């Protein structure tokens, strides 16, 4: 059981390899809305429990205040897989209830944050041209370092099955939000196929609809 818990926690690592562990930004705070039908907010920092709580608060606030649009500025290096996917799911649920979730990515959108951007309302997802954009598979801890996690063809234990389940969840969510094929998305989640670029990359992958200066 201890081995399983350690491995499962390791699966939660999806932060940007270049910056994970160094992010010092405080939890995001809601910003004052500037339009009667719009609530403007900032989601900044890791896509962890703190951001998940803030996302729920902002979505609930938009509903209580009868806002039609939640306008999000997003700046994030990513974070744990589970919370990243749950944030994206909360956005999806809000959209299904009729809320327009307008997301604009700036400066850094990496790893788990790519799910958050992609989850926004189609046609309402934008990104700054000069944003650092990174998509990569999840990572597991290994003696203080990080190792890339691939699909286990013949899973032998619960850890192998957990790895496969996480990768399937990531694949299916990317496919739903980007409308890309299973074959293409699975390449993004295969070790050695990490994708790095600027705002135009998010557009080409179907995670954004517009690139801004």
């Amino acid at each position: 059981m201890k081995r399983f818990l350690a491995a499962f926690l390791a699966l939660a690592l999806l932060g940007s390899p270049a910056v994970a562990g160094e992010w010092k930004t405080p939890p995001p705070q809601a910003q004052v809305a500037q339009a009667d039908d719009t609530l403007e907010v900032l989601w900044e920092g890791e896509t962890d429990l703190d951001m998940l709580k803030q996302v729920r608060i902002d979505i609930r606030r938009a509903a209580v205040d009868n806002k039609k649009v939640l306008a999000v500025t997003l700046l994030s290096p990513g974070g744990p897989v589970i919370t990243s996917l749950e944030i994206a799911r909360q956005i999806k649920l809000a959209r299904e209830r009729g809320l327009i979730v307008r997301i604009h990515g700036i400066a850094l959108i990496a790893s788990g944050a790519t799910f958050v951007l992609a989850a926004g309302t189609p046609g309402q997802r934008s990104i700054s041209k000069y944003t650092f954009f990174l998509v990569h598979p999840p990572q597991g801890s290994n003696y203080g370092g990080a190792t890339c996690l691939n699909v286990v063809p013949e899973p032998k234990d619960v850890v192998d099955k957990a790895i496969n389940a996480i990768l399937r969840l990531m694949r299916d969510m990317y496919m739903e939000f980007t409308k890309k094929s299973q074959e293409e998305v699975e390449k993004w989640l295969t070790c050695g196929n990490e994708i790095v670029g600027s705002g135009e990359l998010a557009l080409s992958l179907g995670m954004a609809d517009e690139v801004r200066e």
Side-chain angles (χ1 to χ4, degrees), residues 92-142:
K92 174 187 173 183
L93 292 174
R95 286 169 42 201
E96 291 174 348
R97 291 193 293 267
L99 181 67
I100 296 173
V101 184
R102 180 185 301 149
I103 303 180
H104 179 58
I106 61 171
L108 174 63
I109 301 294
S111 309
T114 62
F115 290 98
V116 181
L117 176 63
T121 299
Q124 301 288 332
R125 306 168 304 173
S126 62
I127 189 168
S128 170
K129 176 180 179 180
Y130 302 104
T131 297
F132 179 85
F133 191 80
L134 168 65
V135 178
H136 69 88
Q139 301 169 334
S141 61
N142 183 16

Side-chain angles (χ1 to χ4, degrees), residues 15 28 42 69 133 150 160 184 188 195:
L42 171 65
V69 179
F133 191 80
N150 267 324
D160 292 344
E184 180 174 355
W188 306 346
I195 313 172

